[in-house]
């Protein structure tokens, strides 16, 4: 087994689609920041592999954050560092900003991308978890240039599995604009150290309230407690129309979130711990 | 010594800092010799198995492979402290790092590919991974070469006793007995293990480029293993990327590399990957400590009774001797009328443990300091007061015979209590999600070497060249701790030379004089004293000639700025001119001297009694933490460290040692553990082995206590291990105080915190 692989570095979107088309019968992988891919290839070297290197792609849709009708489009190659530098992301979608802020380390945040965090399809993906809470949608293009849209919540179908077909690539995500003026938004990452940490439990929340502080929209997603990131519909529904929760309601709310969890025990934490912590932080969310 | 010091006590950047930061330093990984081959090692697939067959034929046929060896191909003595460790295994494998075969090939990739072609048939056996199970009657014998005079599966025992235990028990108002569980931990040296072996068949000489901490013992041990004359082995230490005790033993990869070079007649290099480093470098010993201790009605400590079961792993390393150090803490940290200790190192099918910064002392101190908090609670005493009441004092000779000529423990405890505002923090109201509190811990450690080998000395050779440049050839080794810098500062101070007039040679056994090695926080003390002795001899040579040339009295000479001047007049002469005069004028002498320093410490008697170190270091720490009761996370907010360092030599280097040690102590206390299951390492990577990062480092407030010990160079004591030793204890004490639980197991993980809280609330519910 060798660590050798071929590399293709398309510069434009057209070149990218052409490279994908040309490699349909071959074993290929996308690499953008490479922060996950290199580890994976080191762990399990693959024969006859082509890496489609996206780091040199100059396409503005892939590379930038722009305001579009009804939302913000974030290119798949936008780095975590660029998310952190974006004022409107910080003010409008704080859960995403905080997720990016908690990702790995400052060095890795300069190269790790939003698209990479989604496509690696880890249940503990931080940016992915925030995007699920935000009801974001993935924009996927195929080699013919056709675009389809899938909600981020449905994008991953299991550990390391996504809906992306072999002739497709994730181009961008669209985050819908807020419909209410008051926000309670953030990202809770549970782990043992402050940097270079993989979430043991994560919780992204984006709760919108009207002028009377009544909750009108709620997005809550949990990570690292099931094979995929989970959107907690019933917990979100529970909040609608309320403004504050009394103690018993907080427990009920935490119970609703916990119902979506089916954690495992691994080297980082036991299932017991994950359940316990998820319940506690869920309870704390509306304190 | 000098009244006014120009360099000692002033911040001095590391002597090797420019080389290191500009990438010029040559680490073991950078060595590339002409015709060099690359070695790789095949390790066992199972932690406990019988090897039925090994077939290397395919590997041998792979293009680029020069040599494949198994146990059958080498004639070697076993290594390790108890000579119970064959470098290549045949018959049985006993732990997951066991070496079965090795390859030397033209490239590292070919070598690794060849490993995959070696076919080993195993018959897997049930292993024993818990030392208590190893001691059961029906347990099988794990190591067939275990000491014959030891019970089955016991590698080493220690027994120690002083005072009248029964009498002290009867004087005790309170007695606390607890079991403490301490985990395995990996050194995580940034430079992974490496060796380049270069055997010259024509000369029958072997040169080893390797990162050992003990080059002269290593030379002897390697020679024994390889069945060679030690003087035909030359050890060269390239720049070492971290030691922390991991490089005290000869490990199998080193003689394996030498054998590959001897078989091929070419240089061979073995570099560990990070995975291998986690898997195959020795760990800090895990152990269970049963500690019973007492105090009388006034809070005076009465006795400690200790039973320790240590997980030795499959083979015995120097690490098995850590009770030497542990018993010092049990017998002599705080005034202790009686102490009894038994320690048993037990074979298991886990990877063998080794030595690690602190050498058992973090474990011992953890149990001692936890028990003190519990004693104070039972007596209703303040936890700072009970410690101060029992503090060691200057002049004390302890039950173990250690003589504390100077002792700054009480002052250190007073400083951390004051600076941390301990009084206002010790009983903070605890409610809500985030809770804050403070914990204490102290420590005692050798400060002037440790005479556990027949000599604890160090040699120095000095050479003054005709241009006034001083070359210090020291037996001591630099492993990043900053000893080169301290030695240079001493020479600058005493010889009146600037930094650019000093060279240090410390990395070649063919050149440097003998030294026992870099461990036990000994280098600044031992090598510093050795250098001072050598400088004294050098001055005996230089000063008479200078005085004669200047026409002044010897006692009036002052060495400064590269000159020798007369204190009483303005007569002066350049140092280099005096050296040239020695060379060129009869009787024609070289300005070269050698000196060997042996510390005044004593080899302990059979009962482990004696003044084992040149002096003793003390420290106290107060640590404030915040516990998140929802997640169990413990955040260290501030660490206050006061340490009796004797005398500050280089404040900058000292600060580095303190901060590095404290961070290592926090890791030990909160996050770091080499996790094992059934003999396999579960987290052999930085992803899951939670070494702390820069983001996790709290404020560290350091207050040196200067007791000016008469034995130390300028009054200094060893400092390097101390800052790690009480940290975990202080953290566990803080968390226990805050939550009203007992954290008696390390690391204090978020999960253990939540479990302790849950158990407490369930207990309360049952009682209600």
């Amino acid at each position: 087994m060798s660590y050798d692989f071929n590399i293709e570095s398309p510069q434009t979107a057209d070149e990218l689609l052409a490279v994908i088309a040309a490699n349909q019968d071959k074993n290929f992988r996308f690499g953008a920041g490479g922060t996950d891919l290199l580890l994976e290839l080191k762990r399990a070297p693959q024969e006859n592999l082509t890496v489609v290197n996206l780091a040199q792609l100059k396409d503005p849709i892939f590379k930038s954050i722009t305001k579009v009708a009804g939302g913000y489009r974030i290119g798949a190659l936008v780095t975590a560092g660029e998310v952190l530098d974006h004022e409107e992301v910080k003010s409008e979608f704080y859960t995403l900003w905080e997720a990016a802020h908690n990702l790995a380390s400052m060095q890795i945040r300069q190269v790790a991308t939003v698209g990479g965090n989604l496509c690696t399809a880890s249940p503990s993906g931080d940016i992915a978890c925030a995007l699920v809470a935000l009801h974001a949608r993935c924009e996927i293009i195929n080699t013919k240039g056709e675009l389809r849209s899938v909600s981020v919540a449905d994008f991953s179908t299991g550990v390391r599995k996504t809906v992306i077909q072999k002739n497709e690539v994730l181009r961008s995500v669209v985050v819908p604009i807020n419909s209410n003026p008051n926000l309670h938004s953030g990202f809770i990452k549970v782990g043992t150290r402050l940097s270079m940490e993989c979430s043991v439990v994560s919780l992204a929340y984006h709760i919108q309230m009207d002028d009377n502080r009544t909750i009108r929209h709620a997005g809550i997603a949990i990570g690292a407690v099931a094979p995929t990131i989970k959107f907690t519909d019933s917990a979100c529904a529970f909040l609608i129309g309320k403004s504050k929760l009394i103690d018993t309601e907080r427990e009920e709310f935490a119970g609703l979130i916990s119902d979506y969890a089916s954690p495992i025990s691994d080297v980082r934490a036991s299932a017991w711990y994950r359940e316990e912590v998820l319940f506690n932080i869920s309870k704390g969310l509306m304190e | 010594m000098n009244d006014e010091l120009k360099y000692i006590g002033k911040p001095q950047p590391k002597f090797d800092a420019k080389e290191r930061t500009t990438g010029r330093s040559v680490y073991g990984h950078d060595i590339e010799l002409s015709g060099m081959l690359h070695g790789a090692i095949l390790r066992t697939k199972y932690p406990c198995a019988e090897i039925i067959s090994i077939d290397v034929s395919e590997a041998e046929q792979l293009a680029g492979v020069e040599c494949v060896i198994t146990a059958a191909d080498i004639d070697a003595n076993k290594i390790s402290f108890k000579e119970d460790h064959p470098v290549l295994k045949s018959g049985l494998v006993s732990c997951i790092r066991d070496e079965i075969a090795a390859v030397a090939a033209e490239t590292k990739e070919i070598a690794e590919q060849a490993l995959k072609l070696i076919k080993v048939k195993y018959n897997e056996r049930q292993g024993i991974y818990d030392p208590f199970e190893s001691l059961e009657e029906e347990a099988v014998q794990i190591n067939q070469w275990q000491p014959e005079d030891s019970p089955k599966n016991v590698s080493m025992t220690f027994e120690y006793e002083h005072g009248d235990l029964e009498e002290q028990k009867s004087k005790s108002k309170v007695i606390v007995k607890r079991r403490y569980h301490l985990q395995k931990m990996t050194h995580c040296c940034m430079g992974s293990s490496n060796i380049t072996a270069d055997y010259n068949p024509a000369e029958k000489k072997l040169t080893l480029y390797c990162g050992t901490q003990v080059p002269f013992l290593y030379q002897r041990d390697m020679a024994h293993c390889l069945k060679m004359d030690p003087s035909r082995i030359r050890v060269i230490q390239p720049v070492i990327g971290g030691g922390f005790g991991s490089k005290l033993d000869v490990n199998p990869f080193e003689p394996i590399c030498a054998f590959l070079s001897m078989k091929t007649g070419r240089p061979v290099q073995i570099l560990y990957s990070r995975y291998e480093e986690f898997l195959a470098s020795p760990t800090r010993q895990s152990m269970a400590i049963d500690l019973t201790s007492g105090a009388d009605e006034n809070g005076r400590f009465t006795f400690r009774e200790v039973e320790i079961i240590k997980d030795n792993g499959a083979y015995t390393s120097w690490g098995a001797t850590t009770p030497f150090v542990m018993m010092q803490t049990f017998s002599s940290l705080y005034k202790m009328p009686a102490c009894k200790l038994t320690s048993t190192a037990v074979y298991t099918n886990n990877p063998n443990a080794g030595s690690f910064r602190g050498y058992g002392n973090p474990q011992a101190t953890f149990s001692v300091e936890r028990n003190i908090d519990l004693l104070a609670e039972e007596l209703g005493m303040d936890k700072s007061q009970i410690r101060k009441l029992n503090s060691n004092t200057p002049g004390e000779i302890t039950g173990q015979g250690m003589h504390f000529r100077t002792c700054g423990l009480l002052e250190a405890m007073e400083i951390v209590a004051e600076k941390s505002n301990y009084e206002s923090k010790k009983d903070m109201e605890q409610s809500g999600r985030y809770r804050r509190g403070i914990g204490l811990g102290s420590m005692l450690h050798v400060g002037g070497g440790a005479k556990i080998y027949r000599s604890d000395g160090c040699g120095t050779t000095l050479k003054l060249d005709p241009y006034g440049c001083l070359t210090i050839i020291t037996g001591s080794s630099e492993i990043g701790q900053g000893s080169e810098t301290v030695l240079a500062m001493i020479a600058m101070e005493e010889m009146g030379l600037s930094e650019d007039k000093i060279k240090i040679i410390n990395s070649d056994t063919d050149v440097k004089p003998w030294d026992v090695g870099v461990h036990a926080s000994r280098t600044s003390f031992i090598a510093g004293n050795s250098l001072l002795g050598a400088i004294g001899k050098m001055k005996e040579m230089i000063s008479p000639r200078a005085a004669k040339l200047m026409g002044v009295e010897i006692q009036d000479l002052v060495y400064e700025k590269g000159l020798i001047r007369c204190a009483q007049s303005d007569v002066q002469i350049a140092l280099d001119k005096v050296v040239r005069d020695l060379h060129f004028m009869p009787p024609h002498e070289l300005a070269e001297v050698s000196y060997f320093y042996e510390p005044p410490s004593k080899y302990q008697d059979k009962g482990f009694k004696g003044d084992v170190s040149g002096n003793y270091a003390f420290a106290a720490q107060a640590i404030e933490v915040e516990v998140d009761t929802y997640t169990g996370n413990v955040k260290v907010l501030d660490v206050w460290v006061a340490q009796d360092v004797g005398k500050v030599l280089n404040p900058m280097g000292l600060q580095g040692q303190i901060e590095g040690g404290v961070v290592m102590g926090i890791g030990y206390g909160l996050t770091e553990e080499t996790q094992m299951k059934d003999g396999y390492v579960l987290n052999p990577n930085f992803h899951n082995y939670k070494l702390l990062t820069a983001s996790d480092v709290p404020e560290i407030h350091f207050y040196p206590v200067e007791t000016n010990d008469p034995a130390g160079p300028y009054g200094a004591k060893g400092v390097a291990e101390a800052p790690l030793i009480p940290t975990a204890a202080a953290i566990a004490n803080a968390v226990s105080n805050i939550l009203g639980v007992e954290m008696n197991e390390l690391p204090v993980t978020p999960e253990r915190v939540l479990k302790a809280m849950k158990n407490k609330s369930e207990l309360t519910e049952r009682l209600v």
Side-chain angles (χ1 to χ4, degrees):
Chain A
M1 208 59 81
S2 86
Y3 296 114
D4 286 344
F5 49 81
N6 302 315
I7 193 149
E8 297 271 6
S9 298
Q11 310 275 321
T12 66
D14 286 345
E15 281 178 26
L16 168 63
L17 298 181
V19 166
I20 298 170
N23 280 280
Q24 282 303 297
D25 55 349
K26 293 188 188 136
N27 180 22
F28 74 91
R29 296 288 306 272
F30 293 113
T35 56
D36 273 346
L37 184 68
L38 286 184
L39 282 181
E40 192 189 317
L41 294 184
K42 208 171 161 186
R43 196 167 46 232
Q46 296 172 25
E47 296 285 4
N48 303 319
L49 177 73
T50 296
V51 171
V52 179
N53 169 34
L54 303 172
Q56 293 181 23
L57 197 72
K58 293 184 178 61
D59 184 87
I61 299 180
F62 274 91
K63 295 278 289 178
S64 59
I65 303 177
T66 49
K67 192 150 194 222
V68 294
Y72 282 83
R73 173 179 282 137
I74 303 175
L77 297 180
V78 168
T79 64
E82 287 163 347
V83 168
L84 293 177
D85 289 341
H86 202 276
E87 286 302 320
E88 283 147 299
V89 166
K90 191 174 180 181
S91 60
E92 297 294 310
F93 313 116
Y94 190 72
T95 182
L96 177 59
W97 190 90
E98 200 168 18
H101 185 66
N102 278 298
L103 187 87
S105 68
M106 184 180 275
Q107 293 90 330
I108 286 179
R109 290 195 288 271
Q110 305 318 307
V111 288
T113 62
V114 171
N117 200 265
L118 285 169
C119 292
T120 205
S122 161
S124 53
D126 292 337
I127 288 176
C129 188
L131 289 171
V132 171
L134 288 166
H135 293 275
R137 293 187 72 80
C138 294
E139 295 182 320
I140 299 165
I141 50 170
N142 66 15
T143 46
K144 294 177 191 155
E146 294 162 343
L147 198 66
R148 69 177 174 121
S149 169
V150 177
S151 83
V152 175
D154 297 330
F155 182 75
S156 170
T157 54
V159 177
R160 311 253 165 232
K161 289 183 192 141
T162 71
V163 299
I164 296 261
Q165 301 295 307
K166 198 167 184 183
N167 66 338
E168 293 178 324
V169 62
L170 176 68
R171 188 193 66 174
S172 42
V173 291
V174 173
V175 185
I177 52 167
N178 297 318
S179 50
N180 285 270
N182 298 306
L183 300 174
H184 177 45
S185 180
F187 184 80
I188 301 168
K189 176 166 181 161
V190 179
T192 43
R193 49 184 180 196
L194 292 173
S195 295
M196 296 308 291
E197 189 63 323
C198 179
S199 294
V200 165
V201 172
S202 58
L203 190 152
Y205 58 97
H206 189 71
I207 297 163
Q208 302 182 35
M209 292 158 286
D210 65 16
D211 290 332
N212 301 319
R213 311 293 298 186
T214 302
I215 296 170
R216 295 300 173 195
H217 284 275
I220 297 166
I222 53 176
V225 287
T228 59
I229 293 159
K230 295 285 182 185
F231 187 84
T232 62
D233 274 301
S234 58
C236 296
F238 181 81
L239 293 180
I240 305 300
K242 297 190 172 68
S243 50
K244 278 187 177 170
L245 302 189
I246 58 169
D247 279 356
T248 51
E249 284 178 328
R250 276 202 291 273
E251 302 249 329
E252 190 182 348
F253 168 69
L256 290 172
I257 291 180
S258 295
D259 286 345
Y260 288 87
S262 51
I264 53 160
S265 292
D266 64 15
V267 67
R268 287 196 283 277
S270 71
W272 174 84
Y273 177 77
R274 289 187 159 101
E275 275 171 8
E276 196 80 5
V277 166
L278 179 64
F279 186 85
N280 288 345
I281 59 174
S282 300
K283 201 175 60 177
L285 194 58
M286 299 303 291
E287 272 172 358
Chain B
M1 229 155 277
N2 301 9
D3 293 336
E4 285 175 36
L5 297 170
K6 291 190 179 66
Y7 299 101
I8 297 296
K10 312 279 190 313
Q12 179 75 27
K14 273 188 161 177
F15 205 60
D16 55 353
K18 286 178 192 159
E19 286 247 313
R20 292 239 185 177
T21 51
T22 54
R24 300 277 305 174
S25 297
V26 177
Y27 290 83
H29 308 70
D30 300 319
I31 288 171
E32 189 138 1
L33 302 179
S34 174
M36 187 175 83
L37 296 167
H38 298 265
I41 294 171
L42 180 74
R43 297 177 194 280
T44 175
K45 198 172 163 188
Y46 306 103
C48 185
E50 190 185 339
I51 300 175
I52 296 166
S53 64
I54 309 172
D55 178 3
V56 300
S57 53
E58 261 190 73
E60 282 175 330
Q61 281 156 24
L62 183 69
V65 169
E66 277 295 304
C67 174
V68 183
I69 56 171
T70 65
D73 303 305
I74 62 169
D75 176 21
N77 283 317
K78 287 183 284 298
I79 57 170
S80 97
F81 190 72
K82 289 284 179 190
E83 232 183 292
D84 61 1
H85 194 174
V87 295
L88 283 165
K89 283 73 179 173
S90 60
L92 274 181
V93 282
S94 303
C95 76
I96 197 63
R97 67 171 62 138
D98 270 1
E99 300 79 1
I100 294 177
V103 173
E106 296 293 343
T107 68
K108 200 165 163 44
E109 288 72 21
I110 295 172
E112 279 167 13
Q113 207 182 336
L115 293 186
K116 294 194 169 78
L117 300 175
I118 299 174
K119 294 188 179 67
V120 184
K121 281 193 185 143
Y122 302 89
N123 186 4
E124 202 183 348
R125 286 190 184 177
Q126 179 65 43
I128 307 176
Y129 308 106
D130 177 345
F132 289 95
E133 285 176 26
S134 303
L135 293 175
E136 286 170 11
E137 209 173 307
E138 63 272 22
V140 297
Q141 184 175 330
I142 289 165
N143 186 311
Q144 57 184 302
W145 303 282
Q146 75 152 75
E148 282 172 13
D149 51 354
S150 285
K152 185 179 62 184
N153 289 335
V154 171
S155 152
M156 231 179 153
T157 53
F158 285 84
E159 291 189 5
Y160 169 83
E161 188 165 6
H162 82 250
D164 186 335
L165 205 69
E166 292 313 313
E167 185 192 349
Q168 292 300 326
K169 279 184 180 172
S170 68
K171 282 185 182 173
S172 304
K173 187 184 177 202
V174 293
I175 290 177
V176 164
K177 181 176 185 183
R178 290 293 185 277
R179 173 168 287 185
Y180 298 97
H181 289 280
L182 292 315
Q183 80 276 34
K184 289 185 171 60
M185 180 187 186
T186 307
H187 304 78
C188 297
C189 299
M190 288 297 110
S192 60
S193 300
N194 62 85
I195 184 169
T196 306
D198 184 8
Y199 184 71
N200 179 334
E203 302 266 345
K204 295 193 167 49
K205 279 185 181 169
L206 177 66
T207 304
L208 299 168
Y209 301 83
C210 66
T212 177
Q213 292 178 226
V214 288
F216 293 95
L217 303 189
Y218 184 88
Q219 183 185 34
R220 183 203 60 186
D221 291 349
M222 283 291 275
H224 178 69
C225 174
L226 302 170
K227 301 188 177 178
M228 275 180 82
D229 171 2
S231 57
R232 304 201 85 79
I233 297 179
R234 179 182 184 187
V235 179
I236 295 176
Q237 297 157 281
V239 174
I240 296 167
F244 310 112
S246 64
K247 297 166 174 71
L248 279 193
D249 283 279
V250 167
N251 284 300
F253 77 98
E254 295 164 304
I256 286 173
C257 193
F259 277 118
L260 289 172
S261 180
M262 289 158 84
K263 295 270 178 200
T264 57
R266 290 169 65 177
V268 180
Q269 183 172 74
I270 293 181
L271 307 179
Y272 271 16
S273 66
R274 185 55 62 183
Y275 169 77
E276 242 175 337
E277 188 75 16
F278 274 109
L279 190 77
S281 58
T283 65
R284 187 186 289 288
Q285 295 89 3
S286 55
M287 58 181 77
I289 301 177
D290 287 320
L291 174 62
T292 311
S293 48
D296 69 15
E297 57 194 2
N298 299 317
R300 292 211 182 266
F301 299 153
T302 47
F303 75 97
R304 290 191 189 119
E305 193 171 10
V306 200
E307 283 181 41
I308 303 166
I309 298 291
K310 295 160 42 128
D311 183 351
N312 193 60
Y315 311 101
T316 307
S317 79
W318 270 101
T321 68
T322 48
F324 271 124
V325 175
M326 297 178 74
M327 69 174 70
Q328 292 164 16
T329 289
F330 288 116
S331 77
S332 305
L333 172 60
Y334 305 101
K335 288 214 164 74
M336 187 47 56
C339 176
K340 184 173 192 289
L341 171 144
T342 60
S343 168
T344 311
V346 182
Y347 288 104
T348 64
N349 290 111
N350 289 322
N352 61 294
S355 50
F356 200 138
R357 191 180 192 176
Y359 215 73
N361 207 349
Q363 294 97 311
T365 300
F366 181 78
S367 64
V368 164
E369 291 290 333
R370 280 292 302 132
N371 258 26
I372 290 174
D373 265 27
L374 296 169
L375 286 171
E377 283 170 19
E378 292 221 1
L379 286 165
M381 275 184 81
D382 179 87
K383 289 168 183 171
S384 178
Q385 285 306 327
I386 198 173
R387 288 179 165 85
K388 285 191 259 186
L389 179 73
N390 288 284
S391 177
N392 300 109
T393 46
E396 180 183 348
I397 297 175
T398 77
Q400 203 183 343
M402 296 188 285
H403 188 175
F404 300 155
R405 289 168 189 84
T406 56
C407 170
L409 179 59
L410 183 62
E411 192 181 345
M413 290 195 284
E414 282 169 348
I415 289 172
V416 296
E418 185 206 325
K419 298 289 183 185
S420 67
N421 213 353
Y422 176 78
E423 277 303 310
S424 71
K425 290 173 180 166
K426 65 180 183 185
D427 296 316
M428 282 196 275
E429 278 293 304
Q430 300 297 351
S431 65
R433 173 174 175 176
Y434 296 99
R435 299 179 195 174
R436 282 188 178 198
I438 196 161
L440 301 173
S442 301
M443 77 99 222
L444 152 71
H445 202 70
V446 292
K451 195 161 280 181
I452 56 168
Y453 190 68
R454 275 166 293 176
S455 165
D456 194 28
C458 172
T460 305
T461 297
L462 294 179
K463 191 177 96 174
L464 258 176
D465 73 15
Y467 316 106
C469 184
L470 180 74
T471 302
I472 302 168
I473 308 169
T474 172
S476 67
S477 304
E478 170 73 43
I479 57 169
Q481 82 276 40
S483 71
E484 278 179 0
T485 313
V486 163
L487 295 180
M489 289 168 74
I490 290 173
M492 287 154 71
E493 188 72 53
E494 297 300 321
M495 295 297 294
L497 293 170
S498 56
E499 190 185 333
D500 62 350
K501 287 286 188 188
I502 294 181
K503 298 174 191 173
I504 296 180
I505 292 176
N506 55 2
S507 58
D508 185 344
T509 54
D510 267 10
V511 177
K512 68 178 184 176
W514 194 88
D515 171 73
V516 78
V518 47
H519 60 79
S521 306
R522 69 187 281 282
T523 307
S524 289
F525 180 95
I526 307 268
N529 275 335
S530 178
L531 174 59
L532 282 171
I535 288 171
K537 280 182 84 174
M538 179 62 88
K539 284 188 172 176
E540 281 171 19
M541 183 174 237
I542 299 287
S543 293
R545 184 65 63 98
K548 189 176 163 201
L549 290 170
M550 293 160 74
V552 301
E553 297 296 319
I554 288 177
Q555 61 269 26
D556 291 336
L557 298 182
V558 178
Y559 286 70
E560 71 178 18
K561 295 179 180 168
L563 302 167
I564 302 173
R565 68 172 176 84
C566 175
Q568 309 301 334
S569 66
D570 49 8
V571 183
Q572 61 182 43
I573 189 167
L575 179 63
D576 57 327
K577 197 169 175 186
V578 182
V579 176
R580 289 198 297 272
D581 198 74
L582 280 169
H583 288 190
F584 302 147
M585 302 306 287
H588 303 290
E589 288 179 290
L590 287 172
E592 287 187 18
V593 297
S594 278
Y595 183 82
F596 186 74
Y597 172 75
E598 183 65 37
S601 49
K602 305 275 187 313
Y603 203 58
Q604 289 172 325
D605 65 19
K606 282 186 178 163
F608 302 107
K609 303 231 170 66
D611 198 16
V612 72
S613 182
N615 63 29
Y616 298 88
F618 301 87
Q621 294 187 9
I623 300 185
E624 188 175 1
V625 308
E626 181 182 80
V627 180
D628 180 345
T629 58
Y630 281 12
T631 62
N633 277 94
V634 176
K635 187 176 178 188
V636 176
L637 302 170
D638 285 273
V639 181
W640 291 270
V641 185
Q643 186 169 318
D644 174 3
V645 299
K647 163 83 182 166
V648 178
L649 298 177
N650 180 9
M652 204 181 254
L654 177 58
Q655 186 79 23
Q657 284 283 19
I658 299 295
E659 291 181 4
V662 166
V663 173
M664 195 174 246
I666 296 172
Y668 185 51
L670 292 179
T671 60
E672 289 187 52
E673 177 170 14
T674 307
Q675 297 184 53
M676 305 287 310
K677 189 165 194 304
D678 298 337
Y680 293 93
V681 181
L682 299 179
N683 56 342
N685 51 61
F686 283 127
H687 192 60
N688 289 324
Y689 183 94
K690 302 294 181 182
L691 190 71
L692 295 177
T693 72
S695 328
D696 300 294
V697 177
E699 286 293 324
I700 297 166
H701 314 274
F702 172 52
Y703 311 94
V705 175
E706 295 195 318
T707 49
N708 294 302
D709 190 274
Y714 305 91
K717 300 180 174 186
V719 301
E721 293 165 283
L724 147 84
I725 291 167
T727 309
I731 291 172
N733 280 341
V735 175
S736 303
N737 289 342
I738 291 167
L739 299 175
V741 299
E742 288 192 24
M743 302 310 301
N744 294 344
E745 187 171 1
L746 290 180
V748 180
T749 58
E751 183 151 353
R752 289 202 175 113
V753 171
L754 280 198
K755 275 248 163 72
M757 287 174 60
K758 188 122 188 152
N759 291 342
K760 187 191 169 197
S761 69
E762 282 171 5
L763 189 67
T764 315
E765 273 170 31
R766 277 210 301 278
L767 292 175
V768 171

